[in-house]
Amino acid sequence: MAKKKRKKTEFKHLFFPHKHNEYRPHAFRHRMLTLYSFVLLSSQVLLGVTYVSGPTLTADNIEVLKQNVIQLTNDERVKDGESALTENKALDLAAQTKLDDMFTRNYWDHVAPDGKQAWDFINATDYQYVYAGENLARGFLDAKSSMNAWMNSPSHRKNILNPNYRDIGVAVGYGKINDKSTVLIVQIFGAQPTSVAANETKVQKIESVPLGESKTSPTFSGSNITIVNRLPYLAFWLILFALIIFDGLSIRRLGYHKSKKHMFQFRAALLINIFVLILLSLNYVSIA
């Protein structure tokens, strides 16, 4: 009976505030909260949550993102004094086939493992061209951010503003590359021949068109926190953060804030918790 009563008392000390634990349950003091925060941080890294590049896209989201990419591309061209591009179904198909190929064969590059390039995907359609180019984006959650990244890269910008292009095809999709979920955007440009003679020069001309250099960088955004598979981590973070703030107020009420030991442990819990939020906000994006 005494043993059962002792366990009940210990449980009460651990989880319920009362005068005998100074209204600070032992399980929710900053020392334990530091441990919980560290476990949450470690689980994110070990499970690869910090490298999830994008949310799951619905069919509607994909079409909206695709049309926004086309619209923003034309906005940049018109701003630069160039003619707007026309969406071409054959180039859309080439872009979609390239996107599917990257997900299926697990690569992220202008050149497929078997050496296939953008031109090969275009050639598989009925689109005849004298100029062609390709821009790729990975991990971007919206068209504006991917467009900003392309426009800040000289070779991608050159593709977008190339006066020789007349048509555009875009594909957007969600899947996994190297076991990391991501959103891919494929942008293919082209210009059809006006004569048989122009068509004969196709190979020489497309080789002079830059594809773009590889560029990877982290981006921080509040929208990354609300990605579906990060929501459980966000929920735990909110609980931990609230408990840390509550314990900090309790420390001050009891006068423990004058103790260097208590303040060190409290600050450690707070800093680790903030770092968890930073990782939840982090997203890796790249263009090629």
Side-chain angles (χ1 to χ4, degrees):
M1 189 73 178
K3 187 176 180 181
K4 185 177 181 181
K5 184 177 181 180
R6 186 168 61 251
K7 284 185 177 181
K8 185 177 180 180
T9 302
E10 290 175 354
F11 183 82
K12 187 178 179 182
H13 279 312
L14 274 174
F15 298 105
F16 296 95
H18 55 86
K19 65 180 181 179
H20 296 297
N21 61 14
E22 300 179 299
Y23 299 97
R24 294 177 65 218
H26 293 281
F28 304 130
R29 295 185 179 186
H30 46 255
R31 183 184 300 176
M32 292 304 295
L33 294 175
T34 300
L35 176 62
Y36 304 151
S37 299
F38 183 75
V39 170
L40 183 59
L41 174 63
S42 300
S43 66
Q44 286 187 74
V45 175
L46 292 174
L47 296 177
V49 173
T50 59
Y51 297 100
V52 176
S53 301
T56 302
L57 296 177
T58 65
D60 289 340
N61 294 147
I62 289 173
E63 185 59 31
V64 169
L65 182 50
K66 172 184 170 180
Q67 293 304 320
N68 286 344
V69 168
I70 295 173
Q71 183 60 55
L72 290 176
T73 299
N74 282 331
D75 289 346
E76 294 294 343
R77 287 178 64 86
V78 171
K79 192 189 306 180
D80 199 60
E82 302 297 340
S83 60
L85 302 176
T86 301
E87 182 180 2
N88 182 279
K89 295 303 180 184
L91 291 184
D92 278 344
L93 177 60
Q96 186 64 53
T97 306
K98 172 62 182 290
L99 182 144
D100 293 340
D101 193 60
M102 285 191 287
F103 278 133
T104 301
R105 301 169 69 185
N106 196 38
Y107 71 95
W108 164 247
D109 204 320
H110 288 291
V111 183
D114 61 357
K116 288 178 69 175
Q117 298 187 58
W119 339 123
D120 298 296
F121 293 100
I122 298 173
N123 289 336
T125 72
D126 60 0
Y127 188 86
Q128 300 298 312
Y129 58 94
V130 287
Y131 295 99
E134 177 185 69
N135 282 343
L136 304 177
R138 174 182 179 181
F140 291 93
L141 305 181
D142 59 84
K144 185 176 181 180
S145 57
S146 64
M147 185 58 62
N148 288 340
W150 280 330
M151 292 301 290
N152 287 325
S153 166
S155 57
H156 295 86
R157 177 186 177 91
K158 187 175 181 180
N159 256 347
I160 290 170
L161 301 180
N162 193 317
N164 295 315
Y165 297 146
R166 294 290 178 267
D167 305 312
I168 186 173
V170 173
V172 177
Y174 173 84
K176 287 188 175 183
I177 293 180
N178 295 326
D179 294 324
K180 306 298 181 184
S181 300
T182 192
V183 173
L184 296 185
I185 303 174
V186 179
Q187 188 181 46
I188 292 182
F189 308 94
Q192 300 186 78
T194 55
S195 68
V196 175
N199 191 38
E200 290 174 351
T201 65
K202 175 176 62 175
V203 176
Q204 288 75 24
K205 288 188 176 181
I206 63 170
E207 290 178 347
S208 66
V209 178
L211 287 172
E213 73 277 8
S214 179
K215 182 179 180 182
T216 304
S217 61
T219 180
F220 293 91
S221 172
S223 62
N224 295 330
I225 300 174
T226 56
I227 293 172
V228 174
N229 53 353
R230 295 188 187 184
L231 288 177
Y233 290 86
L234 176 61
F236 281 121
W237 178 85
L238 289 171
I239 293 171
L240 283 176
F241 188 75
L243 289 172
I244 290 171
I245 296 302
F246 177 78
D247 195 54
L249 294 173
S250 298
I251 288 172
R252 188 161 191 86
R253 176 178 56 82
L254 296 168
Y256 293 157
H257 64 285
K258 298 176 182 178
S259 166
K260 291 184 178 180
K261 179 182 177 181
H262 277 87
M263 289 310 297
F264 175 80
Q265 293 174 349
F266 171 74
R267 287 166 181 162
L270 192 60
L271 286 174
I272 293 175
N273 204 256
I274 290 173
F275 191 57
V276 169
L277 179 64
I278 290 173
L279 284 183
L280 284 171
S281 306
L282 182 63
N283 183 48
Y284 285 100
V285 298
S286 58
I287 56 177

